Amino acid sequence: MGHRFSKRKLEGTENLSPGRFSVSEEAPPHYSSYSNGSETAVSMETPTRRPSEVVNSRQDNRRPSIYSTMDAMPHLEFYANATATGRIRRCRPSLETNMGDSGRGSVSALQESEIESEENGPGGKTAQPVRFGWITGVMIRCMLNIWGVILFLRLSWITSQAGILLTWLIILMSVLVTSITALSVSAISTNGRVSSGGAYFMISRTLGPELGGPIGVVFSFANALACALNTVGFAETVRDLLIEYDSQIVDSINDVRIIGSITVTVLLLISLAGMEWESKTQILFFLVLMVSFVNYFVGTLIPATPQKQSIGVFGYHSEIFLENLFPDWRGADGDFFRMFAIFFPSAIGILAGANISGDLKEPEIAIPRGTLMAIFWTTVSYLAISSTVGACVLRDASGSMNDSLPLNFSEPCEGLSCGLGWNFTECQQSGTCAFGLSNNFQVLIQVSGFGPLIYAGIFAATLSSALAFLVSAPKVFQCLCKDNIYPFIGFFAKGYGKNNEPLRAYLLCYIIAMCFILIAELNVIAPLISNFFLCSYALINFSCFHASITNSPGWRPSFRYFSPWTGLFGAVISVVLMFLLTWWAALIAFGLIIFLFGYVVYKKPEVNWGSSVQASTYNMALSYSVSLAGVEDHVKNYRPQCLVLTGPPTLRPALVDFVGSFTKNVSLMICGDILMSVSQRNSNDMIKWLNQRKVRSFYTSFKASDLREGARHLLQASGLGKLKPNILVMGFKLNWHESSSKGIEDYINTIYDAFDSNHGVCVLRMMDGLDIRDELETEGMLCSSVCLANDQIKTVFQSKQGKKTIDVYWISDDGGLTLLVPYLLTRRKRWRRSKVRVFIIGEQQTMENDRKDMRRFEETLAPFRLNEGQLDERTVQQQRTEFTWKVTDKEMDALRPKVWQTHLLIIDKRVCVCFRSLPVAQADCPSSLYMSWLDTLSYGIHCPVLLIRGNQQNVMTFYCQ
């Protein structure tokens, strides 16, 4: 059966009214949907029939076909994020639609219109953004970023310091870190479509906002620093050219600042022109670099002229290669890890393609393929250049033609240069050599066949890298701003044009880069960048590792050439290298991340990205729950786990707050909602309300015909393993006088059912009642569930109780629950200063008050009395049968002493809450009599009263047992 969706109205459907089907038995119908203004219609195509086949068409149309279904074929857009904006998104029909319950043939069943695109061109056509493939969008971009300022201006110097062997080790160590990170990036990027935001998007959607937010800030800042680094490298080269031609502007430092400021401004203008111009510029830079590389390698093969030999360039010599094979540390920077710190920024460009993931045609294909290819070819080039320059150039040379040796010389000469016909001994001993690998940063220019082409390569490498970082930083920062994790940065989230360019973020990145350009020291900026990027790599690798070990069904990358353990290794080695390179910069980076992490944890932004942290939480909860199920119960580990019959928690906040006061961080609390008049309630709104109120509770609803049925099923089904309720908490039924006998029976039988299932029972009564529905209706606030979820009404249990008292009337020994709950209350901050008073027996001065309360008890119960003395025996028997809830004289006489015994009461104004033992009546006690008993025990008390009863099993111990 083929399903076809189209945005245009199909031919031949003009006579079909929207939402109606034309059905035939000859062939299965085809569904199509079309849009007409703000409505969408659904129609069905059937094959054209011959006239002879139309005879019984009316009868056929009356007969339903098994093919008359709203089922849609699988489509990728059905799985898109529902919050995506700027396009029309398809959605599959709901179960209700398929079952024919509602919306039969309705328009909205097949298409959901999200926010319409604002970028509409002439004629109503949507302006299409520019999209790049894996070569131009990722590989070339990454290669240009990796071939940066370090390649041309520092690689030869690093080779002179560390030697060829250690230089290769530095290169391979950097490549190891970046390759492992690239594998992790490839795995994450193939786990689903990657939106804009690059590394930040990947980390945040994998590890959640707590770690994604900090790394978004750090990574954006690191990209801005990298832009400054490459701009300074370009400015240094231009300055050296000016010095060579005696054309300085001010001095060597200020010239770098001036040239760098002008350069980054020009790059900003290119970026503001749009991604299309930026991409064309990058391709031009790439071609220039290719020519400069060819020029360099050709230059190594050309025999060296005397002029080149005077500056230490001799072409390929095995003696020079062996001499430069081992390190020769010099100066303050003469250290392996210092060299690594300076070189590592040359490898940080691996995320250039991922950073513009929103501008790629197929990110899940382009990012792995382009990134790994870029790493391979750039690694080959770095190894080749370091080894060839180490085989062709001496470490020290004077640059003077007078230092050439005649055929028969008698002057003292030391070093390798003597065998090559040159005497550089004097400048080596005095440390005045101006040329050679150790003394000059322009060695690649001197080696090449045509020097200006190397200058062009330097300009292309530095400018292309600076431009790429200048584009990457705003893209990442824009994505962070859109997520609204941190305050005051939403201003930079706005995008412009068909590619949604972050122009405001461009200006911010420009300002940051300009500030670091003013430092004008390449070797100072490079170590800072290394730490920030290593920190990013550590989190990328850790996110891949963490997502893998959680075994979440949502983690299913199509890229298979990775291992969670390589990700963990990459994360650990990145952190270790951070402290080995520049420990103080590492502390700054971690301090910043910890601060930003703490802010996100404290604010708890309302985002849900299905992170691996959530998956890990589920794994731990499941593992601990299963382990707990095998642990035998012990009285010392007893916890009051409460099922609270709150109904909608938003309507009984006092009941929620009170129970939450002694269960928070201690035990389980479940808010039970028995649905008798509504089919369903929005549980997300209820949970949101609980979270905003800082109540740690679950919410569960159950549809039932009455209170007793719903409570009984909730008692049996709520919880998991040992995490099951052992106490039922209810509100007192204030309107029991006006309620029907069935309502009273359900309420009292709910208490009996709890006792029968071996649960404790708590009944909370407040003088003004628990339900705030009338209050909300009076204030005009009872608008919807969303309105209630956002509204927070303060209750007495949210106030500090000060030095008030908690009175406990422990009349019946229930196992200790009556004492345990008040104790748990005093552990909360609001109740910490309250004093617990425990009453066991009555006092003489209360007897008169007790008599008054007993008279009121009998007056309250009068409408429910059978009054046997006023009726004949036959009528009495008949009423006993029909009205089982009525109280007989015998039952009244039997219960009166017990009511008197439990009516112990000493209440003063200092009491903040009163606990009273909940009496247990015999099974044949009428519900009205028991209800009146409970009313008498809690009537007229100004403070909240909790009638509480355990299940007669010990819940605390006075012995070390």
Side-chain angles (χ1 to χ4, degrees):
M1 178 174 176
H3 292 196
R4 183 170 61 199
F5 294 86
S6 174
K7 293 182 181 178
R8 298 189 305 274
K9 188 172 182 178
L10 301 179
E11 295 182 4
T13 61
E14 293 83 11
N15 296 327
L16 289 176
S17 60
R20 298 185 63 85
F21 299 143
S22 175
V23 184
S24 70
E25 293 181 343
E26 284 75 22
H30 299 273
Y31 297 101
S32 65
S33 64
Y34 58 89
S35 178
N36 183 12
S38 61
E39 297 183 352
T40 305
V42 181
S43 64
M44 285 175 44
E45 291 185 344
T46 58
T48 305
R49 295 180 290 178
R50 294 187 298 273
S52 61
E53 298 175 337
V54 189
V55 178
N56 296 322
S57 61
R58 182 177 301 176
Q59 182 180 358
D60 291 342
N61 286 336
R62 287 198 305 266
R63 292 160 56 187
S65 169
I66 61 172
Y67 296 108
S68 298
T69 172
M70 292 294 292
D71 277 355
M73 293 287 284
H75 198 285
L76 182 62
E77 288 193 20
F78 293 162
Y79 297 87
N81 188 349
T83 59
T85 59
R87 62 189 180 90
I88 302 296
R89 187 183 72 84
R90 295 175 180 172
C91 68
R92 71 182 63 82
S94 65
L95 280 175
E96 290 80 4
T97 304
N98 285 334
M99 295 170 65
D101 292 342
S102 62
R104 185 184 297 275
S106 90
V107 185
S108 59
L110 291 180
Q111 275 198 340
E112 175 184 335
S113 177
E114 298 291 344
I115 300 175
E116 295 183 358
S117 176
E118 298 178 357
E119 298 81 33
N120 291 331
K125 293 183 179 180
T126 303
Q128 296 296 324
V130 179
R131 294 287 184 256
F132 305 106
W134 73 273
I135 295 178
T136 57
V138 181
M139 189 183 78
I140 291 179
R141 187 176 296 273
C142 288
M143 292 175 73
L144 287 173
N145 263 29
I146 296 173
W147 285 330
V149 61
I150 303 299
L151 171 66
F152 289 98
L153 298 182
R154 291 297 183 273
L155 183 59
S156 59
W157 176 70
I158 292 173
T159 304
S160 73
Q161 291 271 354
I164 297 174
L165 290 179
L166 290 185
T167 300
W168 276 35
L169 180 60
I170 290 172
I171 294 172
L172 294 176
M173 283 176 59
S174 302
V175 170
L176 177 65
V177 175
T178 56
S179 297
I180 292 175
T181 305
L183 295 178
S184 299
V185 169
S186 299
I188 297 173
S189 64
T190 58
N191 191 50
R193 289 197 169 182
V194 180
S195 181
S196 59
Y200 159 72
F201 185 88
M202 296 177 188
I203 296 174
S204 61
R205 269 54 178 182
T206 305
L207 287 178
E210 293 82 5
L211 285 174
I215 206 59
V217 175
V218 170
F219 192 66
S220 302
F221 186 68
N223 275 274
L225 287 186
C227 174
L229 173 78
N230 286 277
T231 304
V232 169
F234 170 79
E236 281 189 4
T237 306
V238 176
R239 177 202 62 189
D240 293 342
L241 276 174
L242 293 176
I243 292 175
E244 186 176 340
Y245 290 97
D246 296 327
S247 302
Q248 275 190 306
I249 303 174
V250 181
D251 54 52
S252 59
I253 295 296
N254 287 310
D255 284 3
V256 172
R257 293 169 178 161
I258 295 171
I259 297 168
S261 301
I262 296 173
T263 303
V264 77
T265 303
V266 173
L267 295 177
L268 174 66
L269 296 177
I270 295 175
S271 302
L272 294 177
M275 287 297 296
E276 207 166 353
W277 282 94
E278 188 267 349
S279 179
K280 293 177 180 178
T281 306
Q282 294 284 31
I283 293 175
L284 176 63
F285 286 151
F286 183 77
L287 295 176
V288 172
L289 270 172
M290 291 297 100
V291 173
S292 65
F293 283 147
V294 172
N295 175 54
Y296 164 76
F297 287 110
V298 169
T300 61
L301 299 173
I302 298 175
T305 62
Q307 286 78 13
K308 282 192 173 183
Q309 291 181 355
S310 67
I311 58 177
V313 179
F314 288 90
Y316 291 105
H317 281 78
S318 59
E319 298 88 352
I320 297 178
F321 180 79
L322 294 174
E323 177 71 18
N324 291 333
L325 203 59
F326 302 101
D328 181 20
W329 307 113
R330 299 184 184 183
D333 292 331
D335 178 77
F336 176 82
F337 287 106
R338 180 64 176 173
M339 292 298 108
F340 182 88
I342 294 173
F343 174 81
F344 187 76
S346 66
I348 60 179
I350 62 167
L351 296 178
N355 287 340
I356 63 162
S357 52
D359 299 309
L360 300 176
K361 291 179 182 177
E362 296 177 299
E364 64 276 5
I365 296 176
I367 292 175
R369 186 179 299 174
T371 304
L372 294 174
M373 289 296 291
I375 291 176
F376 174 77
W377 289 116
T378 53
T379 302
V380 171
S381 65
Y382 274 115
L383 294 175
I385 291 175
S386 62
S387 57
T388 53
V389 77
C392 296
V393 186
L394 294 175
R395 281 192 169 98
D396 297 295
S398 64
S400 173
M401 295 294 295
N402 297 326
D403 288 338
S404 62
L405 294 175
L407 294 177
N408 298 317
F409 66 94
S410 59
E411 301 174 9
C413 184
E414 297 179 1
L416 180 62
S417 60
C418 300
L420 298 175
W422 292 82
N423 185 5
F424 301 134
T425 305
E426 183 178 350
C427 75
Q428 286 177 343
Q429 292 178 348
S430 62
T432 57
C433 293
F435 296 93
L437 293 176
S438 298
N439 308 294
N440 193 283
F441 295 145
Q442 311 289 338
V443 170
L444 297 188
I445 298 173
Q446 299 162 358
V447 174
S448 65
F450 184 62
L453 284 180
I454 297 298
Y455 277 113
I458 295 174
F459 295 159
T462 54
L463 293 178
S464 64
S465 297
L467 182 60
F469 284 120
L470 185 60
V471 170
S472 298
K475 294 278 186 182
V476 174
F477 193 64
Q478 181 190 33
C479 184
L480 173 66
C481 297
K482 283 183 177 179
D483 287 337
N484 199 27
I485 295 177
Y486 297 107
F488 314 120
I489 61 174
F491 174 80
F492 299 100
K494 185 173 177 58
Y496 298 85
K498 59 184 179 181
N499 270 55
N500 197 32
E501 296 291 344
L503 302 186
R504 297 174 179 177
Y506 276 129
L507 293 176
L508 177 63
C509 178
Y510 167 78
I511 293 172
I512 295 173
M514 184 70 76
C515 293
F516 282 88
I517 287 171
L518 297 179
I519 296 177
E521 287 291 341
L522 198 66
N523 291 3
V524 173
I525 302 174
L528 292 174
I529 298 175
S530 297
N531 272 274
F532 283 118
F533 273 95
L534 279 170
C535 187
S536 303
Y537 294 166
L539 282 177
I540 290 174
N541 286 304
F542 180 76
S543 63
C544 185
F545 162 76
H546 196 266
S548 299
I549 64 171
T550 54
N551 295 318
S552 172
W555 175 252
R556 46 183 188 276
S558 59
F559 183 82
R560 299 295 182 186
Y561 303 101
F562 81 98
S563 167
W565 305 111
T566 59
L568 179 61
F569 174 76
V572 172
I573 198 66
S574 297
V575 173
V576 171
L577 288 174
M578 285 179 66
F579 285 93
L580 289 177
L581 298 183
T582 314
W583 64 268
W584 56 268
L587 290 177
I588 292 175
F590 274 107
L592 179 61
I593 287 178
I594 291 172
F595 172 77
L596 296 173
F597 173 82
Y599 176 84
V600 177
V601 170
Y602 175 75
K603 295 298 290 185
K604 293 182 175 58
E606 295 182 3
V607 295
N608 184 8
W609 296 326
S611 65
S612 61
V613 174
Q614 294 172 333
S616 177
T617 302
Y618 175 84
N619 286 350
M620 289 189 294
L622 182 61
S623 176
Y624 289 147
S625 298
V626 173
S627 300
L628 189 63
V631 177
E632 188 176 350
D633 291 333
H634 193 280
V635 64
K636 289 192 291 186
N637 293 326
Y638 173 85
R639 294 170 184 266
Q641 302 183 144
C642 299
L643 171 61
V644 191
L645 299 185
T646 59
T650 54
L651 297 182
R652 294 175 179 82
L655 184 59
V656 173
D657 291 339
F658 178 70
V659 179
S661 296
F662 63 84
T663 61
K664 185 176 182 181
N665 298 327
V666 174
S667 57
L668 175 70
M669 176 181 174
I670 300 176
C671 292
D673 188 1
I674 301 172
L675 307 176
M676 293 181 283
S677 59
V678 294
S679 59
Q680 193 62 39
R681 212 183 302 278
N682 192 334
S683 61
N684 289 333
D685 289 341
M686 301 296 106
I687 294 172
K688 179 181 178 182
W689 183 87
L690 290 169
N691 291 336
Q692 289 178 344
R693 208 167 182 85
K694 297 181 179 180
V695 175
R696 302 190 64 171
S697 173
F698 296 99
Y699 170 82
T700 184
S701 59
F702 190 88
K703 191 173 181 180
S705 59
D706 53 53
L707 173 69
R708 183 182 184 185
E709 179 190 1
R712 185 169 62 245
H713 286 95
L714 282 175
L715 284 170
Q716 295 177 22
S718 297
L720 177 68
K722 290 295 180 69
L723 299 176
K724 293 180 68 68
N726 51 30
I727 298 174
L728 177 68
V729 183
M730 308 168 61
F732 185 80
K733 191 175 181 65
L734 280 178
N735 62 342
W736 70 276
H737 300 91
E738 294 83 18
S739 297
S740 64
S741 59
K742 177 67 166 58
I744 299 176
E745 287 278 346
D746 281 347
Y747 184 83
I748 297 303
N749 284 331
T750 300
I751 297 178
Y752 289 161
D753 291 341
F755 286 138
D756 290 342
S757 59
N758 204 32
H759 285 68
V761 176
C762 297
V763 179
L764 179 65
R765 179 173 185 174
M766 298 181 67
M767 182 174 289
D768 297 328
L770 295 169
D771 199 313
I772 61 171
R773 191 188 308 270
D774 295 337
E775 179 183 344
L776 292 175
E777 288 177 344
T778 302
E779 298 178 5
M781 298 170 61
L782 191 58
C783 51
S784 66
S785 60
V786 177
C787 176
L788 286 172
N790 292 329
D791 179 55
Q792 296 289 340
I793 294 181
K794 191 174 181 64
T795 65
V796 65
F797 301 111
Q798 292 178 316
S799 305
K800 288 188 176 181
Q801 304 301 321
K803 294 184 177 181
K804 295 182 179 180
T805 60
I806 300 174
D807 282 1
V808 180
Y809 293 87
W810 195 16
I811 306 303
S812 304
D813 192 344
D814 59 350
L817 185 64
T818 308
L819 292 183
L820 180 62
V821 172
Y823 165 72
L824 293 177
L825 270 182
T826 60
R827 296 175 61 178
R828 312 306 306 173
K829 186 176 181 180
R830 297 188 183 98
W831 305 77
R832 189 166 295 165
R833 302 178 65 189
S834 300
K835 182 180 179 181
V836 178
R837 299 190 303 182
V838 180
F839 297 89
I840 304 297
I841 57 175
E843 295 185 7
Q844 189 65 32
Q845 61 265 30
T846 67
M847 297 300 291
E848 185 58 33
N849 292 332
D850 292 346
R851 291 191 183 95
K852 294 179 181 178
D853 290 335
M854 286 301 298
R855 283 196 297 271
R856 181 190 171 278
F857 166 70
E858 295 187 7
E859 291 172 0
T860 303
L861 197 58
F864 304 94
R865 295 285 298 274
L866 189 58
N867 298 321
E868 297 171 282
Q870 303 175 10
L871 302 173
D872 57 75
E873 185 65 24
R874 182 178 179 183
T875 305
V876 169
Q877 293 297 333
Q878 183 180 0
Q879 289 199 6
R880 283 180 180 176
T881 305
E882 294 180 3
F883 306 104
T884 57
W885 48 272
K886 284 197 172 186
V887 182
T888 65
D889 293 342
K890 182 179 179 180
E891 291 169 338
M892 185 66 185
D893 293 338
L895 195 63
R896 185 180 286 110
K898 195 169 185 179
V899 174
W900 188 287
Q901 177 189 357
T902 57
H903 189 261
L904 174 65
L905 188 63
I906 306 174
I907 299 295
D908 59 34
K909 295 297 182 181
R910 294 176 300 169
V911 180
C912 57
V913 64
C914 176
F915 289 81
R916 306 206 65 181
S917 292
L918 175 70
V920 178
Q922 297 294 325
D924 57 352
C925 178
S927 57
S928 55
L929 176 58
Y930 188 50
M931 194 71 222
S932 180
W933 188 0
L934 300 184
D935 183 45
T936 302
L937 291 175
S938 56
Y939 177 79
I941 303 177
H942 71 277
C943 65
V945 180
L946 187 73
L947 302 176
I948 183 171
R949 184 77 179 219
N951 61 0
Q952 303 301 114
Q953 296 178 1
N954 286 346
V955 300
M956 64 179 185
T957 177
F958 294 100
Y959 301 93
C960 183
Q961 56 186 16

